[in-house]
Amino acid sequence: MSRIARLSDVLINKIAAGEVVERPASVVKELVENAIDAGAGTIRVELDGGGVDRIIVSDDGHGMGRTDAVACLERHATSKLRELDDLFHIDSMGFRGEAIPAIASVSRFTLHSAATNSEVGTRVSVEGGGPPLVEDAPPRTGTVITVEDLFFNVPARRKFLRRGDTELKHAEEAVVRLALAYPEVGFFASHEGGALFSSAACPDDPRERIAAALGSTAHPHLFPVEERRLGVAVTGYAASPEFTFNNARGLYTFVNRRYIRDRGLIGTIQRAYQDFLAAGRQPVVVLHIDVDPRAVDVNVHPQKQEVRFADARGVQEAVTAALSRMLRAAPWLGSGVEGAAPQAGQPMDAAHYAHAVERFLTRAQEAAWGGPLPTAMDAPGPGPGTPSLGALGQGARPGALPFAAAVGQAPAFGQAQPQLNEAPPPGYFGALRPLGMLGGRFHVCEGPGGTLVVMDPHAALERARLTGYLRALESGKPPPAPTLFGTSLELPVAAAKALVEGREALSRLGFDVEPFGGTTVALKTVPPGLEGADARSLLEALARALPPKSATLDTVSLAEAVRVMACHAAKQAGAVPLSDAQFRALLGELDRADFHPTCSHGTVVVLEMPLLELERRAR
Ligand SMILES: Nc1ncnc2c1ncn2[C@@H]1O[C@H](COP(=O)(O)OP(=O)(O)OP(=O)(O)O)[C@@H](O)[C@H]1O
Ligand SMILES: [Mg+2]
């Protein structure tokens, strides 16, 4: 007697169902895909009991006449593939002719359909893959399929269905994925009569669909992305870094309109955003990758969720290029820059942006110096002609990269070396395009060739003032227009003594200080720029900085005092954020100043990140 017998079709279908039908969501997916393949304009999905009790999918597509309505229940019956060659350029969602028989083998299945303009429709009912009951039914537009009691005849499977609304969530997600892939089709889904997802066809603005899926607050943050290369088109929408989720649920990728979850592709997207997002945040991106159907194999995964690209690298590069262009254009800065008030509904999330740039600079620095960040305490002190790696701000933050200018000769950002830092070309600062403030403190500008330029206004002011005071001293003339000040202060003995003894030095610098009895001094005039300075701390600092009585008074012996003046002048000017006009005036001053990459405390005045480097890091 023969040992081998052919399995019955019912059994074969049930086995196939094990692969195709995992849960209610898989049924929803297969039936909605069929509706899309049938050219539906509107698809309705009604669920009961999380989809386990009932799934009804109705469409207004081309429908089926009686013959097809019966044939579609046979395994490997499909209208979508005819020849082997077709398998290599699939342009429909379905192609195996497996879904309907598989679903019908594990449920109570009813199909009601009619061919377009037919006067009679057909109803086919199947219980657990048994013989179909075929009958005439009223004509209708399109098809409606009802799947009840999923896995009623496969208890092992039914047992594995999740409780609560887990199955419902999966089913809803199946609808959302298809809805995002097909914005030109209207989708309406409900559960036990209550709306789950509704979105009318929106062929003109797919952002409406994304907003329906991810929340209406996403809409204003979505920006189009596009990159077309030979053989691959990347299109879609990506949210600016201010709209993020704490998980990857806002990441949707479609290949030839098929939802896929490919780890490589997701990784590529995450890398494009990594310098812009805070730790633990995930971007929101709905990306469509369209390639020649011959250049992608969609037949590598039972649920068709993975694909194999002929040119995976090319696809990855196109995705990176599309996203980095959008991120580089920084459209979300939009109304937030140049002092304009943010528009309603489009708040500029300064904190997010500040964080992004900070991360970006931190990474750049780590790359440049090949190690962890030096702390403010590690920062070397200032030394004449020694551009130092100092804190961006007075001891407030770890270090940052010094300026590497001389556009055209500048080393790549990641290779900046202290000895290569040099003064920028003439007119560099005046040509910067201010973009706005960062963290309420730094000024961010666009530099030549799209470089990112971050300036510490305090350090810049100090650098500019230092030049002004030094030039005045060098000229030997008294500083212009000293300001009448007129205040008297009681100071510590040593300070009062040093100031009185240093009166000549002080007068060279533009101060008029007179003894006023005891340890009190009268400060009568101050050089320009120090009118609003805190007189006590200024005088105490000057007392420490003045040269000894015996010293010759020249720019060398007075350098420390000039530094104190510049520092106090900058502190005073920088106490409130600079207005646009003040910042522009400062840029002009910097062009005239003897530029040095750090202020006298070693604080970096300006940081530059070349566009090329930005692009490289954005990959
Ligand atoms: N809603 C529908 N409207 C019109 N025709 C349909 C509909 N659903 C199914 N069909 C027809 O039934 C056939 C079988 O559908 P089924 O989903 O089993 O296979 P498929 O879509 O061809 O391939 P796959 O198994 O990959 O989904 C389809 O090829 C199609 O001709
Ligand atoms: Mg199908």
Side-chain angles (χ1 to χ4, degrees), residues 20 29-40 57-65 68-69 71-82 92-103 109 111-114 142-145 258 302 304:
V20 178
K29 172 180 177 282
E30 295 296 337
L31 296 183
V32 172
E33 285 187 0
N34 281 346
I36 290 167
D37 283 344
V57 176
S58 39
D59 68 62
D60 54 1
H62 57 57
M64 286 175 276
D68 282 349
C72 79
L73 279 148
E74 282 165 32
R75 187 137 194 255
H76 301 153
T78 177
S79 56
K80 301 167 195 174
L81 273 190
R82 285 279 176 272
S92 55
M93 301 297 280
F95 53 84
R96 304 160 305 188
E98 245 175 15
I100 298 241
I103 293 165
F109 176 98
L111 174 162
H112 175 191
S113 191
T143 306
V144 54
I145 289 178
R258 195 184 294 284
K304 307 172 197 150

Short mmCIF file of all heavy atoms in Angstrom, two decimals, residues 20 29-40 57-65 68-69 71-82 92-103 109 111-114 142-145 258 302 304, ligand 1:
data_model
loop_
_atom_site.label_atom_id
_atom_site.label_comp_id
_atom_site.label_asym_id
_atom_site.label_seq_id
_atom_site.Cartn_x
_atom_site.Cartn_y
_atom_site.Cartn_z
N VAL A 20 -0.61 32.90 5.77
CA VAL A 20 -1.24 34.14 5.30
C VAL A 20 -2.06 34.81 6.39
O VAL A 20 -2.04 36.03 6.54
CB VAL A 20 -2.13 33.86 4.06
CG1 VAL A 20 -2.82 35.12 3.60
CG2 VAL A 20 -1.31 33.24 2.95
N LYS A 29 -5.93 43.21 6.12
CA LYS A 29 -4.92 43.60 5.13
C LYS A 29 -5.19 42.95 3.77
O LYS A 29 -5.23 43.62 2.74
CB LYS A 29 -3.54 43.19 5.65
CG LYS A 29 -2.42 43.36 4.64
CD LYS A 29 -1.10 42.94 5.26
CE LYS A 29 0.05 43.00 4.28
NZ LYS A 29 0.07 41.87 3.35
N GLU A 30 -5.41 41.64 3.76
CA GLU A 30 -5.61 40.94 2.49
C GLU A 30 -6.87 41.43 1.77
O GLU A 30 -6.86 41.64 0.56
CB GLU A 30 -5.68 39.42 2.70
CG GLU A 30 -4.40 38.79 3.22
CD GLU A 30 -3.22 38.89 2.24
OE1 GLU A 30 -3.45 39.05 1.01
OE2 GLU A 30 -2.07 38.83 2.71
N LEU A 31 -7.94 41.64 2.55
CA LEU A 31 -9.19 42.04 1.89
C LEU A 31 -9.11 43.48 1.39
O LEU A 31 -9.60 43.80 0.31
CB LEU A 31 -10.38 41.87 2.86
CG LEU A 31 -10.66 40.43 3.30
CD1 LEU A 31 -11.91 40.38 4.19
CD2 LEU A 31 -10.85 39.49 2.09
N VAL A 32 -8.47 44.35 2.16
CA VAL A 32 -8.34 45.74 1.71
C VAL A 32 -7.41 45.80 0.48
O VAL A 32 -7.67 46.53 -0.47
CB VAL A 32 -7.83 46.66 2.84
CG1 VAL A 32 -7.52 48.05 2.32
CG2 VAL A 32 -8.87 46.75 3.95
N GLU A 33 -6.37 45.00 0.49
CA GLU A 33 -5.48 44.98 -0.68
C GLU A 33 -6.23 44.54 -1.92
O GLU A 33 -6.05 45.09 -3.01
CB GLU A 33 -4.30 44.03 -0.43
CG GLU A 33 -3.25 44.60 0.51
CD GLU A 33 -2.00 43.74 0.62
OE1 GLU A 33 -1.94 42.67 -0.04
OE2 GLU A 33 -1.11 44.14 1.37
N ASN A 34 -7.09 43.54 -1.76
CA ASN A 34 -7.88 43.10 -2.91
C ASN A 34 -8.78 44.23 -3.41
O ASN A 34 -8.96 44.41 -4.61
CB ASN A 34 -8.74 41.89 -2.53
CG ASN A 34 -7.93 40.60 -2.51
OD1 ASN A 34 -6.81 40.56 -3.01
ND2 ASN A 34 -8.51 39.55 -1.92
N ALA A 35 -9.35 44.98 -2.46
CA ALA A 35 -10.22 46.09 -2.85
C ALA A 35 -9.42 47.15 -3.61
O ALA A 35 -9.89 47.70 -4.62
CB ALA A 35 -10.86 46.70 -1.60
N ILE A 36 -8.21 47.42 -3.14
CA ILE A 36 -7.35 48.40 -3.84
C ILE A 36 -7.03 47.88 -5.24
O ILE A 36 -7.13 48.62 -6.22
CB ILE A 36 -6.06 48.65 -3.03
CG1 ILE A 36 -6.39 49.43 -1.75
CG2 ILE A 36 -5.03 49.40 -3.87
CD1 ILE A 36 -5.27 49.47 -0.72
N ASP A 37 -6.66 46.60 -5.34
CA ASP A 37 -6.36 46.03 -6.65
C ASP A 37 -7.58 46.10 -7.58
O ASP A 37 -7.43 46.13 -8.80
CB ASP A 37 -5.91 44.56 -6.51
CG ASP A 37 -4.47 44.44 -6.03
OD1 ASP A 37 -3.73 45.44 -6.10
OD2 ASP A 37 -4.08 43.34 -5.57
N ALA A 38 -8.76 46.10 -6.97
CA ALA A 38 -9.98 46.15 -7.79
C ALA A 38 -10.34 47.60 -8.16
O ALA A 38 -11.40 47.85 -8.72
CB ALA A 38 -11.15 45.49 -7.04
N GLY A 39 -9.46 48.54 -7.83
CA GLY A 39 -9.67 49.93 -8.23
C GLY A 39 -10.70 50.68 -7.39
O GLY A 39 -11.32 51.63 -7.88
N ALA A 40 -10.86 50.29 -6.14
CA ALA A 40 -11.86 50.95 -5.30
C ALA A 40 -11.51 52.42 -5.05
O ALA A 40 -10.34 52.79 -4.99
CB ALA A 40 -11.94 50.23 -3.95
N VAL A 57 -15.45 43.88 4.83
CA VAL A 57 -14.73 44.85 4.00
C VAL A 57 -15.54 45.07 2.73
O VAL A 57 -15.82 44.11 1.99
CB VAL A 57 -13.31 44.35 3.65
CG1 VAL A 57 -12.61 45.32 2.70
CG2 VAL A 57 -12.49 44.19 4.93
N SER A 58 -15.97 46.29 2.51
CA SER A 58 -16.72 46.55 1.28
C SER A 58 -16.02 47.59 0.43
O SER A 58 -15.36 48.50 0.96
CB SER A 58 -18.15 47.00 1.60
OG SER A 58 -18.17 47.84 2.72
N ASP A 59 -16.12 47.43 -0.88
CA ASP A 59 -15.45 48.37 -1.78
C ASP A 59 -16.35 48.71 -2.95
O ASP A 59 -17.38 48.07 -3.17
CB ASP A 59 -14.12 47.77 -2.27
CG ASP A 59 -14.29 46.56 -3.18
OD1 ASP A 59 -14.89 46.69 -4.27
OD2 ASP A 59 -13.82 45.45 -2.80
N ASP A 60 -15.96 49.73 -3.70
CA ASP A 60 -16.72 50.11 -4.89
C ASP A 60 -15.87 49.88 -6.14
O ASP A 60 -15.89 50.65 -7.08
CB ASP A 60 -17.17 51.58 -4.79
CG ASP A 60 -15.99 52.51 -4.52
OD1 ASP A 60 -14.84 52.02 -4.43
OD2 ASP A 60 -16.21 53.73 -4.41
N GLY A 61 -15.06 48.82 -6.09
CA GLY A 61 -14.18 48.49 -7.22
C GLY A 61 -14.94 47.78 -8.34
O GLY A 61 -16.17 47.82 -8.40
N HIS A 62 -14.16 47.12 -9.21
CA HIS A 62 -14.80 46.56 -10.42
C HIS A 62 -15.63 45.30 -10.17
O HIS A 62 -16.36 44.84 -11.04
CB HIS A 62 -13.77 46.32 -11.53
CG HIS A 62 -12.63 45.42 -11.14
ND1 HIS A 62 -12.81 44.13 -10.68
CD2 HIS A 62 -11.29 45.62 -11.14
CE1 HIS A 62 -11.64 43.58 -10.42
NE2 HIS A 62 -10.69 44.47 -10.69
N GLY A 63 -15.53 44.74 -8.96
CA GLY A 63 -16.38 43.60 -8.63
C GLY A 63 -16.04 42.35 -9.42
O GLY A 63 -15.08 42.31 -10.18
N MET A 64 -16.87 41.31 -9.19
CA MET A 64 -16.64 40.04 -9.90
C MET A 64 -17.96 39.49 -10.39
O MET A 64 -18.97 39.56 -9.68
CB MET A 64 -16.03 39.00 -8.94
CG MET A 64 -14.58 39.24 -8.60
SD MET A 64 -13.98 38.06 -7.37
CE MET A 64 -14.50 38.84 -5.87
N GLY A 65 -17.92 38.93 -11.57
CA GLY A 65 -19.08 38.19 -12.08
C GLY A 65 -19.12 36.83 -11.40
O GLY A 65 -18.22 36.49 -10.63
N ASP A 68 -15.91 34.43 -11.67
CA ASP A 68 -14.75 34.84 -10.87
C ASP A 68 -15.05 34.74 -9.38
O ASP A 68 -14.18 34.39 -8.58
CB ASP A 68 -14.35 36.28 -11.21
CG ASP A 68 -13.57 36.36 -12.52
OD1 ASP A 68 -13.17 35.29 -13.03
OD2 ASP A 68 -13.38 37.48 -13.03
N ALA A 69 -16.30 35.06 -9.03
CA ALA A 69 -16.66 35.02 -7.61
C ALA A 69 -16.49 33.61 -7.05
O ALA A 69 -16.16 33.42 -5.87
CB ALA A 69 -18.09 35.51 -7.41
N ALA A 71 -14.43 31.28 -8.67
CA ALA A 71 -13.03 30.88 -8.92
C ALA A 71 -12.07 31.45 -7.89
O ALA A 71 -11.06 30.82 -7.56
CB ALA A 71 -12.61 31.33 -10.32
N CYS A 72 -12.41 32.62 -7.36
CA CYS A 72 -11.44 33.25 -6.44
C CYS A 72 -11.25 32.44 -5.17
O CYS A 72 -10.29 32.64 -4.43
CB CYS A 72 -11.84 34.69 -6.14
SG CYS A 72 -13.14 34.87 -4.91
N LEU A 73 -12.17 31.49 -4.93
CA LEU A 73 -12.02 30.66 -3.74
C LEU A 73 -11.10 29.47 -3.96
O LEU A 73 -10.75 28.75 -3.03
CB LEU A 73 -13.39 30.17 -3.29
CG LEU A 73 -14.13 31.26 -2.49
CD1 LEU A 73 -15.61 31.17 -2.69
CD2 LEU A 73 -13.74 31.16 -1.03
N GLU A 74 -10.73 29.30 -5.21
CA GLU A 74 -9.82 28.18 -5.47
C GLU A 74 -8.40 28.64 -5.25
O GLU A 74 -8.04 29.74 -5.61
CB GLU A 74 -9.97 27.73 -6.92
CG GLU A 74 -11.19 26.88 -7.14
CD GLU A 74 -11.49 26.76 -8.63
OE1 GLU A 74 -10.52 26.77 -9.41
OE2 GLU A 74 -12.68 26.70 -8.98
N ARG A 75 -7.65 27.73 -4.68
CA ARG A 75 -6.26 28.11 -4.40
C ARG A 75 -5.53 28.40 -5.70
O ARG A 75 -5.75 27.76 -6.72
CB ARG A 75 -5.59 26.94 -3.68
CG ARG A 75 -4.22 27.28 -3.21
CD ARG A 75 -3.99 26.76 -1.80
NE ARG A 75 -2.79 27.39 -1.28
CZ ARG A 75 -1.64 26.75 -1.15
NH1 ARG A 75 -1.55 25.47 -1.48
NH2 ARG A 75 -0.60 27.38 -0.68
N HIS A 76 -4.67 29.37 -5.64
CA HIS A 76 -3.86 29.79 -6.78
C HIS A 76 -4.69 30.27 -7.94
O HIS A 76 -4.29 30.17 -9.10
CB HIS A 76 -2.89 28.69 -7.22
CG HIS A 76 -1.98 28.29 -6.12
ND1 HIS A 76 -1.41 27.05 -6.03
CD2 HIS A 76 -1.55 28.96 -5.02
CE1 HIS A 76 -0.68 26.99 -4.92
NE2 HIS A 76 -0.76 28.15 -4.30
N ALA A 77 -5.89 30.78 -7.61
CA ALA A 77 -6.70 31.43 -8.65
C ALA A 77 -6.50 32.92 -8.49
O ALA A 77 -6.80 33.48 -7.45
CB ALA A 77 -8.16 31.06 -8.46
N THR A 78 -5.93 33.52 -9.49
CA THR A 78 -5.67 34.96 -9.41
C THR A 78 -5.86 35.59 -10.78
O THR A 78 -5.63 34.94 -11.80
CB THR A 78 -4.25 35.25 -8.89
OG1 THR A 78 -4.05 36.66 -8.90
CG2 THR A 78 -3.18 34.58 -9.71
N SER A 79 -6.30 36.83 -10.77
CA SER A 79 -6.40 37.56 -12.02
C SER A 79 -5.14 38.38 -12.25
O SER A 79 -5.03 39.10 -13.21
CB SER A 79 -7.61 38.51 -11.95
OG SER A 79 -7.48 39.35 -10.81
N LYS A 80 -4.19 38.26 -11.29
CA LYS A 80 -3.09 39.22 -11.30
C LYS A 80 -1.78 38.70 -11.87
O LYS A 80 -0.90 39.48 -12.20
CB LYS A 80 -2.88 39.74 -9.87
CG LYS A 80 -4.16 40.39 -9.34
CD LYS A 80 -4.16 40.66 -7.85
CE LYS A 80 -5.58 40.95 -7.37
NZ LYS A 80 -5.66 41.08 -5.91
N LEU A 81 -1.62 37.41 -11.96
CA LEU A 81 -0.41 36.83 -12.53
C LEU A 81 -0.83 35.85 -13.61
O LEU A 81 -1.76 35.08 -13.42
CB LEU A 81 0.35 36.00 -11.48
CG LEU A 81 1.36 36.63 -10.54
CD1 LEU A 81 2.10 35.52 -9.80
CD2 LEU A 81 2.34 37.50 -11.26
N ARG A 82 -0.13 35.88 -14.70
CA ARG A 82 -0.45 34.91 -15.74
C ARG A 82 0.75 34.01 -16.03
O ARG A 82 0.62 32.82 -16.24
CB ARG A 82 -0.84 35.63 -17.05
CG ARG A 82 -2.23 36.23 -17.01
CD ARG A 82 -3.33 35.18 -17.29
NE ARG A 82 -4.64 35.76 -17.15
CZ ARG A 82 -5.34 35.82 -16.02
NH1 ARG A 82 -4.83 35.31 -14.91
NH2 ARG A 82 -6.54 36.37 -15.97
N SER A 92 0.64 44.78 -8.60
CA SER A 92 -0.60 44.76 -7.80
C SER A 92 -0.22 44.35 -6.39
O SER A 92 0.88 43.87 -6.14
CB SER A 92 -1.59 43.75 -8.40
OG SER A 92 -0.96 42.49 -8.51
N MET A 93 -1.16 44.54 -5.46
CA MET A 93 -0.87 44.15 -4.08
C MET A 93 -0.84 42.63 -3.96
O MET A 93 -0.01 42.07 -3.25
CB MET A 93 -1.93 44.72 -3.13
CG MET A 93 -2.05 46.22 -3.16
SD MET A 93 -0.55 47.03 -2.62
CE MET A 93 -0.69 46.90 -0.86
N GLY A 94 -1.80 41.98 -4.59
CA GLY A 94 -1.86 40.52 -4.52
C GLY A 94 -1.22 39.91 -5.76
O GLY A 94 -1.09 40.56 -6.78
N PHE A 95 -0.80 38.67 -5.64
CA PHE A 95 -0.29 37.98 -6.83
C PHE A 95 -0.29 36.48 -6.67
O PHE A 95 -0.12 35.73 -7.61
CB PHE A 95 1.13 38.46 -7.17
CG PHE A 95 2.10 38.37 -6.02
CD1 PHE A 95 2.76 37.18 -5.74
CD2 PHE A 95 2.35 39.48 -5.22
CE1 PHE A 95 3.66 37.10 -4.67
CE2 PHE A 95 3.26 39.41 -4.16
CZ PHE A 95 3.91 38.22 -3.88
N ARG A 96 -0.60 35.98 -5.46
CA ARG A 96 -0.44 34.55 -5.24
C ARG A 96 -1.71 33.77 -5.46
O ARG A 96 -1.69 32.57 -5.68
CB ARG A 96 0.02 34.30 -3.79
CG ARG A 96 1.27 35.00 -3.39
CD ARG A 96 1.38 35.10 -1.90
NE ARG A 96 0.18 35.75 -1.34
CZ ARG A 96 0.05 36.11 -0.09
NH1 ARG A 96 1.01 35.86 0.77
NH2 ARG A 96 -1.06 36.70 0.33
N GLY A 97 -2.84 34.45 -5.36
CA GLY A 97 -4.11 33.74 -5.45
C GLY A 97 -4.30 32.84 -4.24
O GLY A 97 -4.81 31.72 -4.33
N GLU A 98 -3.85 33.32 -3.10
CA GLU A 98 -3.87 32.49 -1.91
C GLU A 98 -4.76 33.02 -0.80
O GLU A 98 -5.28 32.26 0.01
CB GLU A 98 -2.44 32.41 -1.36
CG GLU A 98 -1.94 31.03 -1.44
CD GLU A 98 -0.50 30.86 -1.03
OE1 GLU A 98 0.08 31.74 -0.39
OE2 GLU A 98 -0.01 29.79 -1.35
N ALA A 99 -4.93 34.33 -0.76
CA ALA A 99 -5.53 34.94 0.42
C ALA A 99 -6.98 34.49 0.63
O ALA A 99 -7.35 34.03 1.72
CB ALA A 99 -5.46 36.46 0.31
N ILE A 100 -7.79 34.59 -0.41
CA ILE A 100 -9.22 34.29 -0.21
C ILE A 100 -9.45 32.83 0.19
O ILE A 100 -10.10 32.57 1.21
CB ILE A 100 -10.04 34.68 -1.46
CG1 ILE A 100 -9.91 36.19 -1.65
CG2 ILE A 100 -11.46 34.16 -1.39
CD1 ILE A 100 -11.11 37.02 -1.59
N PRO A 101 -8.87 31.87 -0.54
CA PRO A 101 -9.09 30.49 -0.08
C PRO A 101 -8.56 30.25 1.33
O PRO A 101 -9.18 29.52 2.12
CB PRO A 101 -8.35 29.62 -1.11
CG PRO A 101 -7.63 30.54 -2.01
CD PRO A 101 -8.17 31.93 -1.83
N ALA A 102 -7.43 30.88 1.67
CA ALA A 102 -6.88 30.69 3.01
C ALA A 102 -7.83 31.24 4.06
O ALA A 102 -8.13 30.56 5.05
CB ALA A 102 -5.52 31.37 3.11
N ILE A 103 -8.32 32.43 3.84
CA ILE A 103 -9.23 33.04 4.82
C ILE A 103 -10.52 32.21 4.93
O ILE A 103 -11.01 31.93 6.03
CB ILE A 103 -9.57 34.50 4.41
CG1 ILE A 103 -8.31 35.38 4.50
CG2 ILE A 103 -10.68 35.07 5.29
CD1 ILE A 103 -8.43 36.72 3.79
N PHE A 109 -17.20 32.44 5.80
CA PHE A 109 -16.84 33.44 4.79
C PHE A 109 -18.00 33.69 3.84
O PHE A 109 -18.63 32.75 3.36
CB PHE A 109 -15.63 32.89 4.03
CG PHE A 109 -15.17 33.74 2.88
CD1 PHE A 109 -14.10 34.61 3.02
CD2 PHE A 109 -15.77 33.64 1.62
CE1 PHE A 109 -13.65 35.37 1.95
CE2 PHE A 109 -15.33 34.40 0.56
CZ PHE A 109 -14.27 35.27 0.72
N LEU A 111 -19.07 36.15 0.40
CA LEU A 111 -18.65 37.16 -0.58
C LEU A 111 -19.89 37.57 -1.37
O LEU A 111 -20.67 36.71 -1.79
CB LEU A 111 -17.61 36.51 -1.47
CG LEU A 111 -17.01 37.21 -2.70
CD1 LEU A 111 -15.72 36.49 -3.08
CD2 LEU A 111 -17.95 37.21 -3.89
N HIS A 112 -20.08 38.85 -1.52
CA HIS A 112 -21.18 39.32 -2.34
C HIS A 112 -20.59 40.31 -3.33
O HIS A 112 -20.00 41.31 -2.93
CB HIS A 112 -22.25 39.99 -1.47
CG HIS A 112 -23.37 40.60 -2.25
ND1 HIS A 112 -24.30 41.44 -1.68
CD2 HIS A 112 -23.71 40.50 -3.56
CE1 HIS A 112 -25.17 41.84 -2.59
NE2 HIS A 112 -24.84 41.28 -3.75
N SER A 113 -20.72 40.00 -4.63
CA SER A 113 -20.10 40.87 -5.62
C SER A 113 -20.93 40.86 -6.89
O SER A 113 -21.86 40.04 -7.05
CB SER A 113 -18.67 40.37 -5.90
OG SER A 113 -17.97 41.32 -6.66
N ALA A 114 -20.60 41.75 -7.79
CA ALA A 114 -21.26 41.77 -9.09
C ALA A 114 -20.31 42.42 -10.08
O ALA A 114 -19.53 43.29 -9.69
CB ALA A 114 -22.57 42.57 -9.02
N GLY A 142 -19.16 46.91 -6.83
CA GLY A 142 -18.03 46.41 -6.05
C GLY A 142 -18.35 45.14 -5.28
O GLY A 142 -19.28 44.39 -5.60
N THR A 143 -17.55 44.94 -4.23
CA THR A 143 -17.58 43.66 -3.51
C THR A 143 -17.70 43.91 -2.01
O THR A 143 -17.16 44.89 -1.51
CB THR A 143 -16.24 42.92 -3.77
OG1 THR A 143 -16.06 42.82 -5.19
CG2 THR A 143 -16.22 41.54 -3.15
N VAL A 144 -18.41 43.01 -1.36
CA VAL A 144 -18.38 43.05 0.11
C VAL A 144 -18.07 41.64 0.60
O VAL A 144 -18.66 40.67 0.14
CB VAL A 144 -19.68 43.62 0.73
CG1 VAL A 144 -20.92 42.90 0.22
CG2 VAL A 144 -19.63 43.57 2.25
N ILE A 145 -17.08 41.56 1.47
CA ILE A 145 -16.69 40.25 2.00
C ILE A 145 -16.85 40.27 3.51
O ILE A 145 -16.43 41.21 4.18
CB ILE A 145 -15.23 39.91 1.60
CG1 ILE A 145 -15.21 39.61 0.09
CG2 ILE A 145 -14.70 38.71 2.40
CD1 ILE A 145 -13.85 39.30 -0.49
N ARG A 258 3.78 49.29 -1.19
CA ARG A 258 3.58 48.18 -0.26
C ARG A 258 4.27 48.53 1.04
O ARG A 258 5.44 48.90 1.04
CB ARG A 258 4.21 46.94 -0.88
CG ARG A 258 3.81 45.63 -0.27
CD ARG A 258 4.59 44.52 -0.93
NE ARG A 258 4.24 44.34 -2.35
CZ ARG A 258 3.13 43.76 -2.76
NH1 ARG A 258 2.27 43.29 -1.90
NH2 ARG A 258 2.89 43.62 -4.05
N PRO A 302 6.37 35.94 3.82
CA PRO A 302 4.98 35.46 3.71
C PRO A 302 3.95 36.58 3.80
O PRO A 302 2.92 36.52 3.12
CB PRO A 302 4.84 34.48 4.86
CG PRO A 302 6.11 34.49 5.62
CD PRO A 302 7.13 35.26 4.86
N LYS A 304 4.57 39.60 2.97
CA LYS A 304 5.08 40.58 2.00
C LYS A 304 5.60 41.82 2.71
O LYS A 304 5.45 42.92 2.22
CB LYS A 304 3.99 40.97 0.98
CG LYS A 304 3.31 39.80 0.27
CD LYS A 304 2.13 40.29 -0.56
CE LYS A 304 1.17 39.19 -0.97
NZ LYS A 304 -0.21 39.61 -1.13
N1 LIG B 1 -12.61 42.95 -3.67
C1 LIG B 1 -12.39 42.34 -4.84
N2 LIG B 1 -12.86 42.90 -5.99
C2 LIG B 1 -12.65 42.28 -7.17
N3 LIG B 1 -11.95 41.14 -7.31
C3 LIG B 1 -11.48 40.54 -6.23
C4 LIG B 1 -11.67 41.10 -4.93
N4 LIG B 1 -11.08 40.29 -4.04
C5 LIG B 1 -10.54 39.27 -4.73
N5 LIG B 1 -10.78 39.41 -6.05
C6 LIG B 1 -10.36 38.48 -7.11
O1 LIG B 1 -10.06 37.27 -6.50
C7 LIG B 1 -8.74 36.83 -6.82
C8 LIG B 1 -8.18 36.08 -5.67
O2 LIG B 1 -7.93 36.95 -4.58
P1 LIG B 1 -6.78 36.57 -3.55
O3 LIG B 1 -6.62 37.65 -2.60
O4 LIG B 1 -7.04 35.20 -3.06
O5 LIG B 1 -5.50 36.44 -4.49
P2 LIG B 1 -4.64 37.61 -5.10
O6 LIG B 1 -5.06 38.89 -4.64
O7 LIG B 1 -4.60 37.39 -6.56
O8 LIG B 1 -3.21 37.20 -4.54
P3 LIG B 1 -2.76 37.22 -2.99
O9 LIG B 1 -2.97 35.85 -2.46
O10 LIG B 1 -1.34 37.54 -3.13
O11 LIG B 1 -3.59 38.23 -2.34
C9 LIG B 1 -8.00 38.10 -7.19
O12 LIG B 1 -6.95 37.82 -8.08
C10 LIG B 1 -9.10 38.93 -7.82
O13 LIG B 1 -9.23 38.64 -9.18
#
